[in-house]
Structure formats: structure tokens, C-alpha cells
């Protein structure tokens, strides 16, 4: 049941990748770098198969009896590893063995991880070890199931020297935990009871780095073994340092039950034997000052090494990565596994002692001076500890009981059964919307900008905003479902004289017909605010977007542009659109050739904002400068002047390659101008000043290019050359032609880069699906956040259309429908020129008219079944491209569509195209402009097609 799913704990719903910042998974451990599919939301389950040595040895040649069962294990391991590698490199074409399993089971196997436990023999006894060479699986919490008393060290230390078992509610859902409380999540007892949560992590061990660090810090082998034992807290054979601080003691069969019978606080309170910061004291502090706290953070754990046999010396390393496939079980992921990882392993102050830094073995160290570890008897700490354990992937899983599994097999949905006082989130309606159960007055109160805003947590203040995503969604819901066609709110004051002020109102419209009427009626709803914004950054100069259609300057400038385009197309003989689409395809193919072997790419930084800049070079005649904008560098540090940035901050910047400088600078100029004109609605002065300076840099650069082309014609067939040719001809040339040329090129650059970049980012983000289980917030209309379709399959079907003209139409329909769900501008602004009426609702002169494009795109009066993704809709209804956009429709519309078609066609050819795990897989925006969206796909040597 979807409501039951919503009642699972937040940590489980978000998943490990989304909580990487809490776990220390950054740098080389970042989710975007995890192996294969690990951490991706398309993983729905994990199947663990444990093969015993006796099973593996069946049919193997028998020898001396005891050794016979082990003979088949290396062969089985090698064959399974080979199968896993073939699956990882298949690019969507599964190996026959895997395909056969999938056909029989009805699901797809995304990834196969193979472990093989190395064994060590001492004095005739065999035990498991991990790749650093230490005995593994020694200490587990003994759960009180009423069977036998706990072994020494298997629970919580009592004051009388005995050990208390761990309450079963710490591991399983249903029985009481250490505080006598029982879990109520998820909200169905049959699904919940006797279940547990499993954490899976693939952890690479830097075995060579570990040995090198020991060799650097200790000359003698005896000292190296001691240092390694102090970092772990045990000797390699498992003997605890608390009992044996100078040399190990073998715990044979008769004493094995005593290997965990020790305490920290009573036997070694100051860490003189076993360092306080050692690994074993961190992950299970026993009685170390926090006896009652420690018992609340126990986990059942198990790990299986992967990567091959043990490497005892660095020179014996065969180049294969080694590590652990780690699993643990607990009732609360956040209070158990995550707490241990966040507070005890990566916390800098634990057990009341400051300066302990991170765990020397599993902590998120980086080899810095501050990555330190204090050993007993040493006057100074050991520093520059490297990261010895790197996260390669993982996730959180719910493990149901056998009874719940039977229910799942029988098709039960486990409807919620809420405890007293629990208020569930509303269930979505059949059309995908979520309706808030209040009347119009309640909705109006929720969105009233004049109503005092109450923040539930006073430590996290929130500034009320009429243009917040939540309020815009509520307004859109009210306009689509209520009777009112216009919602009007007071939101600012305008000073008319030195003493008087006049209130400013915002009037919101959201039905599709009303939004289209506002965009079409330029006489009643003007764009002079855009002209004001542009004038602030261009010293009063005008651009087309801020000029009415009848303005003489606009008419003259458009005539000049059409004349230049006519010259370029040679009177229609040259198909510029086809050339541009082909060029965009070639650029995209070159970019993909660079990233294909890695299997990852940032769609925004590597593609969406790069292709338009290169197109501007070849088709507009606007190559970027061979320098990085100093204002852009300063702005990245929230400074206005480069001289205001501290030198040590600048020293941390990554070097910029020569070929990257033109692209980065053009992107920065376009971003600053686009943001100032279209997004800085509150007129933040710092943004305006930064945009002024970057626009000055951009216009000066265009002037230099114009002068070069005029003095020494390049002979290139691009827009700049065509415009300068008109100037050179001196026939029918406007007096201020230089200003016209400069404005045309600047507007095409600014609009082209971020209109195309944001369009592609929105389309790809929509295609990839929601980043997590979508939140259902009471009162917010669904907004069409996710269509009911596999959009990647739809795109591939569009690409396979045989007829070129039909393929182009279907491509444009695909783009139009994607942008209906995720418009480039969810809201467009106009200024009311005179009192008017929209759908019976009054709008007054001077009102800021806010056309809610996002809401209009989901209007069922215009778009039948608005939550469905359809390619047969009337393109005349779309509000982003086409005539419905009004007189200020994008002048580069056909250029943008050509670029988008080429880039999407290239992306459609990638196999296993998906989000990167973690936050890097989310579309990152800054002031509503795209900044980053990392994707993964099956690596390839060369692009296809």
C-alpha cells in the first residue's frame, strides 16, 4: 500500500546514497563513483547466496579427507567472478546464464558481487580473516531470545562482572528495545513484526596503503605488528590489547569463549593498553563511560572478503582490488548503523575525550596533518593517516519475517493500521493529484502572504515568500480547482514621491486559456519590467525581449536579423536548421567519446551548457575569450571583486585547461545575464552588480569580435559575418547598426545557452524519474512531476521512426510534452498596463501579473488526462514554444529544438542510462538555473551511430 510505504523510516526511504554526507562517503567514496548500479534507486532487492565449502567440493577429487571439500571452492569462486565481470561489461546484453535466471524468475539482475572468505590456520585451528590480516567475526551482540545466557562479552556489561543480553527490539521489529519501546514503523503489524533492516556496503580496503603506512611509521616488523594492533585494538589473531598489550596470546578451543571477556573502563580507562581511538573501542565501547548509551547502538554484522587471496606484503599485490561485502542488521538504521558511522567512527570527540579525530581503520581520513591517531606512550600523535577503507556502494534493505514474506507472495498489500494520534499523508487520487481536505478559505489562509509565518522549529527560521515553490503550487491548485480565475495579493510597496508609497499587488492566473491570453495580449500585459532589468546591466540599452512588438527599435532590429539570416540561407537554398542539427550531433558525439569509457557524465556541465556555447562559436561567430572571467571567479566566492578574494581561497581552485576557458567564460556571462533578467524578481542588489560587470565583459568581447570581422573579414558563414557584411554595404543600414549587432548577438548567446541548457536538464531529469520516493505534501497539487510512462523507451521509439520528417515532428512533440511537465519557466511575469478582466477576475493597472505556466500545463480543460505523457497533443496548446507563447516567443526556437533533438538522440543510444547514486544524481540548481546532473550508463569504448 503506498501509504504504508510512506510510513517506513526516513533513513530507509532516502537510502544510503542520499545520506552519504552523514556517513563520511565523500571524495573517492562519493556515491556518484560507486560501482555499477550500487546505490541506485532501481535496485529493489538483494538476494544473498551462501555456498559452503562442503557444497563447493561436491564432485571434486578427494584427497586426504579434510582438505577435499575445499578443493572445489577456488574454481567456483573464479568462475563466478568471471560471470560477474561479464555482467558488468555487458552493456545491457546479459550473459546467457544470467538471462536464463531472469527469464525464469521474472526480474532483472543488475549486479553480481562475489565474496570468498580467506581462512587462516594456527595450531591446527582454522578461522576467518579479512584482507588487512585480522581475525574477523569475533564480537557480536547476544540477543535475548530466552534460549541461553549470553557468553562473556556478548552483551551489556553488568556491574557485578556478568553480561546482560541485548534486548531483541534492538535488532528485530516488534519486541521491546532497551528502553522498553516497540517500533510502529511501517504502519502494518503483520509486515513489521519480526522484520529487521539490513545495511549492505561494499568496502574496498587499501591493503598496500595499509602496509606502506606501517612501514613508514615503524622500522621493525615487531613494531609494525604492534602499531597495527593498536589501530585495530586487537592482535591479528584476535587477542584483545586490553588483556595483552605487548604480545598476543592464542585463544584455543578451550579458551575461545573468553576472547571477548574484557572491559575498557574498568581495565584500561585511559587507553594505556588499548588506545581510546582504536577501531574496536569505537564500534563497541562496552563500559567506556557510556555503558547505558552504548547498549542502544548494537548491530548484528557479517562481512565476506572479495578480490582474491590475502596479500601479506605490498610487493605480492596482483593489482586486483580487495575489500569486504559488509552487512549488518538492526531495528533502527539511523540510531544504530548511522550513529556508529557518524559519531563513533567519524566523530572527532567521543567518550568525553576531545581530539580523537576519526577511526584510523574505517574513518574518512584523507592523509592530512589533522588525520591523526594517538598511541600509548608516544608524545606526539601519528599523523597523515590515509583513507584505508573506501566505500564502493551499498544501500538499506527491509528484511521481512517469514510470515510477511508469505503475505507478499499471496499478494497482500498491507494496508496501514495507524496508532492513536498518527495522521497519515493523503493518498493520491486516480489522476495522480493530491487534494487537501480544506475549503477555499483554508487554502487562502495557507497562501496568504500577509499572514504571520510560523516556523515549527525556531532554530531554523524561514522567510515567507510569495514565490516559494509551495505557495506557487497551492495557488495553482486553487486556480485549477476553485471558481476564482485570478488571485491577487499585496506583496510590496512602490515609492511614488519622496514621502508617499503605493502598494504593489501580484495577480496570479493559472488556467491554460488565461495564461495564453496574458502572453498574447502585449498591449494589456507588457514586458517593460524586462526592459528595466536589461537596462540596469546594459547601461540603458534595450534587447528584443524587453521591447513591445510595435516598438520601432524592435521592428528595425528584427528586420536586420531577418536580412542577415536570409543572406546566410542564400534565399532558402541552404538548410541552416539541418546544418545546425548535424553540427550539434557531431559536438555531442565528440563529448560522448570522451566520457563513454568511464560510464558517467554530468549532463549539465559536460553537455547541456557546452553544446550551445560551441554552436554560438560556429553559427553566431562568437568564440569565447582565452581567459576566465575575473568577475565570475569572484562571484563563485560571493565577492564582487577578485581582489576581495583571499589568496589562499584562490590557491584551492582547480587549474582550468586552455580549451575550457572560452566555454566556462561564455557560460558565466550567459548565466549572470539570464538570471538578472528573468529570475532576479526581488532585485537582489548583489546579483545585479555582478551581472552588470559580467555583461560589460561580454559586450566588450563582442565589440572586439565585431571590429576584427569588420577590419579583416574571416570569410566564415556565420551570423556575425552576415551582420557585418550588411554594415559594410552601407545600404539601408540603421545609424546605430553597431548597437543592433551587439544586442542581437548578446541576446542569442544568453538566451541560447540557458534556454537550451535548462530545457535539456529538465527533459533528462524528467526522463530519469523521481530521485527518491516522491514526498506527498498535503495541499500541493501533483504539478505533473512524474508522467505515467517510461520516457527513455518512448524516446528510443521516436529515434527509430524511419521517415525523417515524421521523426522530427515526433521529436518536437516529445520535447514539448517533457517541457509541459517540467517547463523552463514555471512562472512568467507581465505588468498590467490598464485595468483589465481575466475570466471575470479583475486585474488592476500596475499589478505584477504572474502567469503560472506549471499549473496551466496541467489544466485538464486544455490537456486531457494531464498526468499522461502523449505525443498526439495539439502543439498549439504548448506555452513554451509556438504561437501560444505570444509575441515574445523565443527567437531562437528552431535553433534550440535542433540542438535538443541531436543531444537527446545521442543520449537515447546509451545503455542502462540512469541517475548517479546519491545527491549528485539529483538536478542541482542555483537560483533556478541548472548546475549539475550526474548520470551513469554502461561503459563503451566508442559511441555508436
Amino acid at each position: 500500500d503506498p501509504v504504508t510505504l510512506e510510513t517506513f523510516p526516513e533513513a530507509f526511504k532516502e537510502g544510503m546514497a542520499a545520506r552519504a554526507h552523514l556517513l563520511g562517503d565523500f571524495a573517492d567514496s562519493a556515491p556518484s563513483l560507486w560501482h555499477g548500479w550500487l546505490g541506485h534507486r532501481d535496485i529493489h532487492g538483494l538476494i544473498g547466496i551462501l555456498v559452503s565449502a562442503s557444497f563447493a567440493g561436491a564432485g571434486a577429487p578427494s584427497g586426504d579427507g579434510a582438505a577435499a571439500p575445499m578443493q572445489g571452492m577456488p574454481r567456483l569462486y573464479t568462475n563466478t567472478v568471471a560471470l560477474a565481470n561479464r555482467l558488468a561489461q555487458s552493456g545491457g546484453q546479459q550473459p546467457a546464464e544470467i538471462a536464463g535466471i531472469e527469464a525464469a524468475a521474472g526480474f532483472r539482475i543488475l549486479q553480481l558481487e562475489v565474496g570468498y572468505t580467506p581462512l587462516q590456520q594456527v595450531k591446527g585451528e582454522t578461522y576467518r580473516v579479512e584482507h588487512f590480516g585480522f581475525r574477523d567475526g569475533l564480537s557480536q551482540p547476544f540477543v535475548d531470545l530466552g534460549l541461553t545466557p549470553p557468553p562473556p562479552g556478548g552483551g551489556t556489561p553488568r556491574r557485578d562482572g556478568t553480561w546482560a543480553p541485548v534486548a531483541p527490539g534492538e535488532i528485530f521489529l516488534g519486541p521491546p528495545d532497551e528502553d522498553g519501546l516497540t517500533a510502529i514503523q511501517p504502519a502494518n503489524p503483520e509486515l513489521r513484526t519480526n522484520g529487521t533492516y539490513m545495511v549492505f556496503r561494499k568496502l574496498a580496503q587499501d591493503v598496500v596503503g595499509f602496509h606502506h603506512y606501517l612501514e613508514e611509521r615503524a622500522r621493525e616488523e615487531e613494531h609494525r605488528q604492534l602499531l597495527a594492533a593498536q589501530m585495530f585494538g586487537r592482535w591479528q589473531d584476535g587477542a584483545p590489547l586490553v588483556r595483552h598489550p605487548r604480545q598476543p596470546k592464542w585463544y584455543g578451543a578451550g579458551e575461545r569463549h573468553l576472547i571477548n571477556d574484557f572491559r575498557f573502563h574498568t581495565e584500561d580507562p585511559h587507553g594505556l593498553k588499548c588506545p581510546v581511538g582504536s577501531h574496536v573501542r569505537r564500534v563497541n565501547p562496552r563500559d567506556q563511560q557510556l555503558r547505558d548509551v552504548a547498549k542502544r547502538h548494537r548491530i548484528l554484522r557479517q562481512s565476506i572478503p572479495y578480490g582474491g587471496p590475502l596479500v601479506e606484503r605490498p610487493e605480492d599485490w596482483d593489482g586486483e582490488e580487495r575489500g569486504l561485502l559488509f552487512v549488518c542488521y538492526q531495528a533502527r538504521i539511523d540510531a544504530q548503523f548511522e550513529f556508529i558511522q557518524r559519531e563513533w567512527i567519524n566523530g572527532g570527540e567521543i567518550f568525553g575525550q576531545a581530539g580523537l579525530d576519526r577511526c584510523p581503520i574505517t574513518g574518512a581520513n584523507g592523509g592530512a596533518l589533522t588525520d591523526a591517531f594517538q598511541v600509548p606512550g608516544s608524545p606526539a600523535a601519528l599523523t597523515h593517516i590515509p583513507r584505508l577503507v573506501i566505500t564502493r556502494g551499498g544501500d538499506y534493505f527491509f528484511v521481512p519475517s517469514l510470515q510477511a514474506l508469505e503475505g507478499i507472495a499471496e499478494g497482500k498489500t498491507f494496508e496501514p493500521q495507524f496508532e492513536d494520534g498518527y495522521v497519515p499523508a493523503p493518498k493520491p487520487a486516480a489522476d495522480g493529484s493530491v487534494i487537501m481536505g480544506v475549503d477555499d478559505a483554508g487554502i487562502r489562509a495557507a497562501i496568504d502572504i500577509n499572514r504571520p509565518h510560523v516556523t515549527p522549529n525556531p532554530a531554523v527560521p524561514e522567510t515567507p515568500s510569495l514565490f516559494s515553490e509551495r505557495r506557487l503550487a497551492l495557488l495553482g491548485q486553487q486556480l485549477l480547482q476553485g471558481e476564482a480565475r485570478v488571485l491577487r495579493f499585496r506583496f510590496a510597496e512602490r515609492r511614488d514621491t519622496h514621502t508617499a508609497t503605493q502598494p504593489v499587488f501580484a495577480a496570479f492566473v493559472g488556467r491554460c486559456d488565461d495564461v495564453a491570453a496574458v502572453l498574447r495580449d502585449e498591449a494589456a500585459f507588457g514586458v517593460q519590467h524586462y526592459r528595466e532589468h536589461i537596462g540596469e546591466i546594459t547601461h540603458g540599452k534595450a534587447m528584443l525581449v524587453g521591447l513591445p512588438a510595435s516598438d520601432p527599435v524592435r521592428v528595425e532590429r528584427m528586420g536586420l536579423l531577418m536580412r542577415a539570416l536570409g543572406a546566410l540561407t542564400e534565399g532558402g537554398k541552404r538548410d541552416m536548421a539541418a546544418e545546425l542539427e548535424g553540427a550539434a550531433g557531431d559536438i555531442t558525439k565528440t563529448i560522448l567519446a570522451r566520457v563513454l569509457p568511464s560510464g558517467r557524465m554530468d549532463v549539465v556541465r559536460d553537455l547541456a551548457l557546452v553544446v550551445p556555447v560551441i554552436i554560438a562559436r560556429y553559427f553566431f561567430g562568437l568564440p569565447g575569450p582565452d581567459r576566465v572571467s575575473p568577475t565570475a571567479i569572484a562571484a563563485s566566492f560571493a565577492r564582487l571583486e577578485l581582489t576581495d578574494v583571499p589568496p589562499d581561497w584562490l590557491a584551492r581552485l582547480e587549474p582550468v585547461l586552455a580549451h575550457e576557458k572560452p566555454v566556462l567564460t561564455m557560460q558565466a556571462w550567459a548565466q549572470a545575464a539570464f538570471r538578472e533578467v528573468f529570475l532576479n524578481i526581488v532585485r537582489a542588489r548583489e546579483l545585479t552588480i555582478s551581472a552588470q560587470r559580467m555583461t560589460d565583459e561580454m559586450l566588450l568581447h563582442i565589440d572586439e569580435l565585431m571590429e576584427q570581422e569588420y577590419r579583416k573579414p574571416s570569410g566564415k558563414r556565420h551570423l556575425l559575418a552576415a551582420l557585418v557584411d550588411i554594415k559594410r554595404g552601407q545600404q539601408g543600414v540603421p545609424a546605430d547598426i553597431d548597437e543592433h549587432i551587439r544586442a542581437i548577438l548578446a541576446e542569442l548567446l544568453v538566451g541560447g545557452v540557458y534556454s537550451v541548457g535548462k530545457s535539456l536538464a529538465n527533459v533528462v531529469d524528467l526522463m530519469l524519474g523521481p530521485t527518491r520516493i516522491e514526498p506527498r505534501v498535503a495541499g500541493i497539487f501533483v504539478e505533473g512531476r512524474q508522467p505515467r510512462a517510461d520516457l527513455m523507451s518512448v524516446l528510443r521509439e521516436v529515434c527509430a521512426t524511419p521517415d525523417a520528417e515524421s521523426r522530427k515532428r515526433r521529436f518536437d512533440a516529445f520535447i514539448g510534452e517533457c517541457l509541459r511537465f517540467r517547463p523552463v519557466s514555471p512562472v512568467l511575469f507581465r505588468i498590467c498596463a490598464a485595468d483589465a478582466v481575466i475570466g471575470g477576475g479583475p486585474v488592476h493597472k500596475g499589478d505584477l501579473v504572474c502567469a503560472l505556466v506549471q499549473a496551466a500545463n496541467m489544466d485538464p480543460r486544455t490537456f486531457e488526462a494531464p498526468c499522461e505523457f502523449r505525443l498526439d497533443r495539439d502543439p498549439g496548446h504548448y506555452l513554451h514554444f509556438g504561437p501560444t507563447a505570444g509575441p515574445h516567443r523565443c527567437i531562437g526556437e528552431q535553433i534550440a529544438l535542433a540542438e535538443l533533438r541531436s543531444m537527446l538522440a545521442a543520449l537515447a543510444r546509451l545503455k542502462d542510462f540512469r541517475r548517479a547514486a546519491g545527491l549528485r544524481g539529483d538536478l542541482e540548481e542555483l537560483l533556478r538555473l541548472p548546475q549539475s546532473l550526474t548520470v551513469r550508463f554502461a561503459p563503451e569504448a566508442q559511441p555508436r551511430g
Side-chain angles (χ1 to χ4, degrees), residues 173-193:
L173 306 177
D177 61 18
E178 289 285 351
D179 290 338
L181 304 175
T182 58
I184 62 171
Q185 294 178 295
N188 180 285
E190 184 181 357
L191 178 64
R192 175 179 70 232
T193 303

Side-chain angles (χ1 to χ4, degrees), residues 562-574:
M562 293 299 104
R563 186 174 167 187
L565 291 175
L568 284 177
T569 60
E570 300 171 2
K573 297 179 182 178
R574 180 186 176 194

Side-chain angles (χ1 to χ4, degrees), residues 360-532:
I361 300 299
T362 58
N365 299 298
L369 178 65
T370 53
D371 295 321
F373 174 67
Q374 183 69 51
V375 296
S378 175
L382 295 175
T383 60
H384 300 89
I385 296 176
R387 185 153 196 164
L388 299 175
V389 176
I390 302 169
T391 307
R392 296 303 193 197
D395 222 321
Y396 300 150
F397 297 87
F398 175 65
V399 184
S401 66
L402 292 176
Q403 180 185 9
L405 272 175
E406 291 174 356
I408 293 171
E410 294 169 359
K412 291 185 178 180
T413 60
F414 303 100
E415 293 186 0
Q417 299 177 24
F418 295 107
E419 307 291 330
D420 291 341
Y422 186 93
V423 180
K427 294 182 67 171
D431 65 353
S433 62
V434 179
I435 309 301
M436 185 168 70
V438 298
D439 56 15
D440 289 354
I443 294 179
R444 281 184 169 275
I447 57 180
D448 187 358
I449 191 67
N450 300 314
R451 185 183 183 206
H453 184 80
V454 179
T455 304
N457 182 358
V460 186
E462 181 180 340
T463 303
S465 169
L466 188 60
F467 303 105
S468 69
E469 184 176 1
R470 176 177 174 80
R471 277 209 169 98
L472 291 178
L474 287 165
L475 288 162
Q477 178 189 11
Q478 171 70 354
L479 289 165
L480 291 184
Q481 299 176 354
E483 296 181 1
R485 303 281 289 270
V486 178
L487 295 176
R488 192 165 176 264
F489 299 94
R490 174 176 175 173
F491 82 104
E493 290 185 343
R494 180 189 298 117
R495 184 174 295 277
D496 287 343
T497 67
H498 293 292
T499 57
T501 59
Q502 178 181 352
V504 178
F505 288 83
F508 291 85
V509 294
R511 295 190 185 183
C512 192
D513 289 345
D514 295 340
V515 170
V518 167
L519 298 181
R520 284 194 298 261
D521 191 352
E522 186 182 47
F525 307 103
V527 293
Q528 59 265 36
H529 57 299
Y530 289 146
R531 180 167 187 170
E532 294 172 2

Side-chain angles (χ1 to χ4, degrees), residues 114-158:
V114 189
Y116 175 31
T117 302
L119 301 175
Q120 198 81 291
Q121 286 193 340
V122 175
K123 298 181 179 182
E125 297 188 29
T126 302
Y127 61 87
R128 295 169 40 231
V129 294
E130 47 75 47
H131 282 297
F132 288 145
F134 283 74
R135 191 170 181 174
D136 197 17
L138 284 173
S139 176
Q140 293 281 10
F142 185 85
V143 182
D144 185 8
L145 298 179
L147 301 176
T148 60
T156 303
R158 292 191 178 109

Side-chain angles (χ1 to χ4, degrees), residues 739-763:
E739 182 178 322
H740 283 307
I741 295 175
R742 182 189 305 113
I744 288 171
L745 295 173
E747 191 159 5
L748 285 172
L749 173 65
V750 172
V753 171
Y754 270 90
S755 292
V756 174
K758 189 167 174 59
S759 294
L760 184 70
N762 285 8
V763 169

